[in-house]
Amino acid sequence: MTEQSDAPAGDAMVRAEGVHKSYGLVEVLKGIDLQVRPREVFCLVGPSGSGKSTFLRCINHLEKINAGRLWVDGELVGYRQKGEKLYELRDREVAVKRRDIGMVFQRFNLFPHMTAVENVMEAPVQVKKRSKGEARDQAMALLERVGMADKARNYPSQLSGGQQQRVAIARALAMQPKLMLFDEPTSALDPELVGEVLDVMRGLAEEGMTMIVVTHEMGFAREVGDALVFMDDGVVVESGSPREVLANPRHERTKAFLSKVL
């Protein structure tokens, strides 16, 4: 039988159909359907525990879904299809696919024993087998891009939270991803440091990077986002253009949430 992706028609960078995820008896995602177009900044908002971060982690198979299907750039996430059957990919195969997806976490996750430039160099050297010279040149260019070139030789402990997060973004970009996932990238930062991280993300949006952003920064969603989804209790409650949803929410659950955060 010939192998096929069985992706639905369309040019979505990310497509979810009926995605479910449970932890034991607790159902966290209850049938998520959405799509993200190339070059789109797609914002996910909602209360804590609504399933936003879990869904984000499913996109690069850090979490395995229990039902439904996810595609990234036309390819199934975590599986391949032959005929009508799905076969789970081996860890090594998943790791290869994951190279195309950059992820930025709440807590930076930098290697504490490496300088900023070494953190950014690590994956290209270890995974893509780039020479150290080439990887260093690329890393310095990326640190320049996020405004951190002057801190290249500093260790994470010598950097502010905002600076660490900018290095983490540079590190994710070092693998030249086609998609960037941001899991509340400013939630662990002091308020005065939030702007410097959002500025970097605005720059990526202007350059055409496809981004899915779990965020509580409604101003960023309104100004930079192309699409916004409000999630609650594991389902998509409302979606649309950020300005429309934030200004004129249709659902009572959306109105109640926004009344607390706007």
Side-chain angles (χ1 to χ4, degrees), residues 22-201:
S22 298
Y23 298 100
L25 298 176
V26 179
E27 193 175 22
V28 180
L29 300 177
K30 303 175 181 178
I32 301 296
D33 297 294
L34 56 79
Q35 61 177 322
V36 181
R37 296 193 304 271
R39 304 176 67 88
E40 195 168 50
V41 178
F42 191 96
C43 296
L44 287 173
V45 305
S48 297
S50 59
K52 309 181 302 296
S53 294
T54 297
F55 177 69
L56 208 65
R57 292 170 66 86
C58 289
I59 292 173
N60 63 357
H61 210 55
L62 288 174
E63 301 285 355
K64 297 178 183 180
I65 64 176
N66 299 112
R69 295 189 185 185
L70 265 170
W71 292 265
V72 172
D73 202 17
E75 295 190 3
L76 283 169
V77 174
Y79 299 89
R80 68 176 177 274
Q81 179 161 337
K82 287 187 178 180
E84 295 301 311
K85 288 190 176 181
L86 289 180
Y87 297 87
E88 189 168 359
L89 298 178
R90 293 189 293 270
D91 289 346
R92 182 179 297 177
E93 294 173 293
V94 170
V96 169
K97 304 248 186 196
R98 199 177 282 145
R99 294 177 192 176
D100 291 331
I101 305 173
M103 187 157 185
V104 178
F105 300 88
Q106 295 179 40
R107 291 286 175 182
F108 327 135
N109 292 357
L110 297 177
F111 297 116
H113 61 290
M114 293 183 180
T115 63
V117 70
E118 288 168 345
N119 265 280
V120 179
M121 289 171 57
E122 180 71 2
V125 169
Q126 297 298 329
V127 179
K128 290 197 168 182
K129 306 305 179 187
R130 296 260 171 85
S131 70
K132 286 195 174 182
E134 183 185 2
R136 183 175 293 275
D137 289 345
Q138 180 201 28
M140 288 303 300
L142 287 170
L143 288 173
E144 179 74 37
R145 186 172 168 186
V146 300
M148 289 296 295
D150 61 329
K151 303 291 186 183
R153 292 174 177 80
N154 288 43
Y155 289 91
S157 62
Q158 300 170 313
L159 302 174
S160 71
Q163 290 171 333
Q164 289 186 61
Q165 194 62 295
R166 283 188 281 160
V167 173
I169 293 172
R171 182 179 62 178
L173 292 172
M175 292 297 285
Q176 299 174 307
K178 62 179 71 170
L179 170 67
M180 285 283 285
L181 309 177
F182 291 88
D183 188 8
E184 298 191 26
T186 60
S187 65
L189 302 179
D190 292 332
E192 66 269 21
L193 302 178
V194 168
E196 63 190 53
V197 173
L198 294 182
D199 285 344
V200 171
M201 294 170 66

Side-chain angles (χ1 to χ4, degrees), residues 216 218 246 256-262:
H216 291 296
M218 299 302 160
L246 295 175
F257 172 76
L258 292 177
S259 72
K260 298 173 184 173
V261 298
L262 290 178

Side-chain angles (χ1 to χ4, degrees), residues 211-257:
M211 299 159 59
I212 303 179
V213 186
V214 172
T215 185
H216 291 296
E217 301 292 337
M218 299 302 160
F220 174 85
R222 184 187 295 109
E223 296 162 26
V224 183
D226 299 300
L228 181 144
V229 158
F230 170 68
M231 286 179 63
D232 191 24
D233 196 28
V235 300
V236 172
V237 175
E238 186 163 351
S239 62
S241 78
R243 293 189 179 196
E244 181 64 26
V245 173
L246 295 175
N248 301 296
R250 299 188 305 272
H251 294 266
E252 290 304 319
R253 287 154 83 187
T254 317
K255 292 176 183 176
F257 172 76

